[in-house]
Amino acid sequence: MERMSFTQEIEKRRTFGIISHPDAGKTTLTEKLLLFGGAIQEAGAVKNNKIKKTATSDFMEIERQRGISVATSVLAFYYKDKKINILDTPGHKDFAEDTFRTLTAVDSVIVVIDVAKGVEEQTEKLVEVCRMRHIPMIVFINKLDREGKDAFDLLDEVESKLKLTVTPLSFPIGMGHDFKGIYNIYERNINLFTAESKTKISEGQAFEDLHSKELETLIGESHATQLREELELVSGVYPPFDRDAYLEGELQPVFFGSALNNFGVRELLDCFIAIAPSPRPKSAEERLVRPEETDMTGFVFKIHANMDPKHRDRLAFLKIVSGTFKRNTPYLHIRHNKKLKFSSPNAFFGDKKQIVDTSSYPGDIVGLHDTGNFKIGDTLTEGELLHYKGIPSFSPEHFRYINNADPMKSKQLAKGIDQLMDEGVAQLFTLDLNGRKVIGTVGALQYEVIQYRLEHEYGAKCTYEPFPVHKACWVATEDEKSEEFLDFLRVKQKYMAKDKKGQTVFLADSHFSLEMARQKYPSVKLHFTSEYE
Ligand code: G4P
């Protein structure tokens, strides 16, 4: 009996992330989904936690808002008996690395695209990561109440720029000022857009027979003719929906709507809970772990530090992969080979976090209070030696030498750098030649964050010096003793470094030198991420 309910708990869960370019409507959509789940009462609750655009030049403000947003890192709610966990992915591009890591903890994603802007840069990058990992994706084209691109042109753009194979499961009728509503291909009904849909959840009208005259009455003659033609084109051009292909990451269903007007959102959510995967097996270095296994296992994908120096506690976010997580139970911290118990782990619900009183199941996220034990990627088990894979580092975009500005505080500086890197704020590279430390970040903003935090939390001072690097390349070779590899190491000595795990990295100073190295040393493989197949 108990076994039965455990597997039912797993089947109920849908853990996903919403990805988009800033301003496409991710926050608005998240909020509408929460409203459907009854997890929040009014619009605006999530929005207030968003990193505001105006704050981009003021990193303290961003950090403060990031602090507030701990609770919204995981938004959980029930909808039609499904437990939905939305993992927040920061939209700000300087925190892209955070987003990449969060994507290792989701079972599927929803991609939001602005109908007028089409596919934007940030979306391209994030979708590429999802595509490479075969994460099931649903596309939501937003802001249909505004003038935008033609639906077919957009679908083409999604296919070509994002390299996806799409199949529309809903289709817009008109757009902008002439927006009439949506035909739901998945449910075969029509939902008419009215000004009231902002406050009321509109129910679609069933519509089996597209050729009935009723269509004309509902949307007018020209729209009716156009819709029939367009739907014919849709079924002629796009493959039919196939759930297995979607789950394999080979086919992406597309929905149209307007998050702000709460239009098309119910259709998206209903289809999502029907087709999106429940927690899936995950590879550890040792073996594949299935969610139904009774022993608890999980991995840390995010660490959130408290900016207040008086409370230097951190919250480590653990994704449960298998078994049931219970408080006050000893779990093995694999990297430290140490048993840890948690007396007040946090569960997340709605836009709040609370102490776990019931059990948490695969797919759920628990927040563990941490005084410096955890590092991103750490695995917890009930005793089995397992190492979860798949939290890679990506080549940073910016690189600078970091120098100690207060010789009396070198210990504090080392400790501060160490802990900030464990949190994943930036990446540290140590040059082979002289042991100098180089900090690599995704955005220039992180340098200010690091400097400020080193000073305020660790009492250490640092300065930076430019270090021109084009890309960090993780180096792999089949034969470490080969002439070619040794020659590569010798010639590029100045540019060779170790990352925090001790992996060898080539810090290429230009695109040209990288290409030259690739040509000259074909047996040396240069990867832009720390984990490669
Ligand atoms: P993000 O999280 O992806 O960055 O986007 P967010 O939801 O904050 O939405 C960005 C802007 O787009 C917001 O306007 C939001 O109201 C608007 N928006 C979202 N969905 C729709 C939609 O379906 N139709 C229309 N017309 N607009 C939409 P803003 O003016 O930047 O913010 P606010 O002052 O309205 O909060």
Side-chain angles (χ1 to χ4, degrees), residues 20-28 47 50 53 142-143 145-146 258-261:
S20 70
H21 192 84
D23 269 351
K26 180 168 73 78
T27 316
T28 313
K47 190 107 201 165
K50 189 182 155 177
K53 286 162 256 178
N142 190 27
K143 307 198 187 180
D145 57 316
R146 288 209 188 146
S258 165
L260 186 65
N261 292 292

Side-chain angles (χ1 to χ4, degrees), residues 66 87-90 94-106 126 129 133 282 299-303 319 375-377 390-394 420-427 442 446:
R66 249 157 66 86
L87 307 194
D88 186 38
T89 53
D94 284 7
F95 297 103
E97 189 95 356
D98 264 9
T99 301
F100 291 139
R101 284 190 293 253
T102 298
L103 291 178
T104 62
V106 302
L126 295 170
V129 173
R133 298 207 192 132
K282 187 168 171 73
F299 66 98
V300 173
F301 65 95
K302 173 178 180 136
I303 293 177
K319 159 107 190 256
K375 190 159 137 166
I376 284 176
I391 307 226
S393 301
F394 291 86
L420 293 183
M421 300 305 130
D422 283 354
E423 269 175 42
V425 175
Q427 292 179 54
V442 179
Q446 262 95 346

Side-chain angles (χ1 to χ4, degrees), residues 329-333 336-342 380-384:
T329 304
Y331 291 118
L332 181 64
H333 183 306
H336 287 333
N337 190 23
K338 188 162 90 179
K339 292 250 173 164
L340 298 174
K341 275 190 201 173
F342 304 92
L380 282 188
T381 72
E382 292 192 17
E384 183 179 351

Side-chain angles (χ1 to χ4, degrees), residues 207-453:
F207 225 98
E208 285 296 327
D209 181 13
L210 276 173
H211 292 280
S212 103
K213 277 279 163 234
E214 214 187 319
L215 191 60
E216 267 79 0
T217 329
L218 275 178
I219 58 177
E221 212 171 293
S222 70
H223 278 301
T225 315
Q226 195 183 347
L227 180 66
R228 287 186 192 115
E229 283 171 12
E230 285 177 336
L231 289 177
E232 205 161 303
L233 200 56
V234 165
S235 59
V237 172
Y238 298 100
F241 175 67
D242 170 348
R243 182 162 184 234
D244 289 335
Y246 156 72
L247 292 176
E248 298 289 318
E250 283 161 9
L251 182 67
Q252 287 75 28
V254 180
F255 282 85
F256 291 83
S258 165
L260 186 65
N261 292 292
N262 209 357
F263 195 77
V265 177
R266 183 195 61 79
E267 286 84 346
L268 172 72
L269 184 57
D270 280 343
C271 177
F272 171 80
I273 60 166
I275 67 170
S278 50
R280 305 203 286 177
K282 187 168 171 73
S283 289
E285 274 166 30
E286 294 76 4
R287 66 184 185 88
L288 189 73
V289 181
R290 301 184 182 285
E292 304 79 28
E293 294 181 21
T294 43
D295 280 2
M296 199 298 294
T297 66
F299 66 98
V300 173
F301 65 95
K302 173 178 180 136
I303 293 177
H304 207 294
N306 196 335
M307 286 285 287
D308 182 349
K310 287 188 217 89
H311 303 276
R312 212 200 291 156
D313 58 333
R314 315 194 285 184
L315 200 63
F317 291 75
L318 183 85
K319 159 107 190 256
I320 302 174
V321 177
S322 66
T324 311
F325 185 95
K326 299 189 191 89
R327 56 194 286 204
N328 288 324
T329 304
Y331 291 118
L332 181 64
H333 183 306
I334 301 289
R335 190 170 49 86
H336 287 333
N337 190 23
K338 188 162 90 179
K339 292 250 173 164
L340 298 174
K341 275 190 201 173
F342 304 92
S343 58
S344 54
N346 286 136
F348 299 88
F349 197 77
D351 53 352
K352 315 229 164 11
K353 64 178 180 359
Q354 59 199 26
I355 306 286
V356 182
D357 44 10
T358 54
S359 309
S360 297
Y361 297 100
D364 285 338
I365 311 299
V366 283
L368 306 174
H369 289 279
D370 173 39
T371 47
N373 278 317
F374 286 116
K375 190 159 137 166
I376 284 176
D378 276 343
T379 304
L380 282 188
T381 72
E382 292 192 17
E384 183 179 351
L385 283 184
L386 282 179
H387 298 82
Y388 278 113
K389 298 197 287 192
I391 307 226
S393 301
F394 291 86
S395 173
E397 302 286 327
H398 304 262
F399 298 83
R400 290 183 197 171
Y401 282 122
I402 182 164
N403 299 321
N404 186 2
D406 183 350
M408 305 294 288
K409 298 281 168 66
S410 56
K411 249 195 185 150
Q412 285 85 337
L413 184 75
K415 181 170 180 206
I417 294 180
D418 202 46
Q419 293 208 344
L420 293 183
M421 300 305 130
D422 283 354
E423 269 175 42
V425 175
Q427 292 179 54
L428 180 73
F429 301 97
T430 309
L431 293 182
D432 286 353
L433 199 62
N434 52 18
R436 285 192 75 179
K437 293 190 181 339
V438 173
I439 303 267
T441 66
V442 179
L445 199 65
Q446 262 95 346
Y447 291 105
E448 285 177 60
V449 174
I450 293 168
Q451 200 166 33
Y452 181 92
R453 290 191 54 187

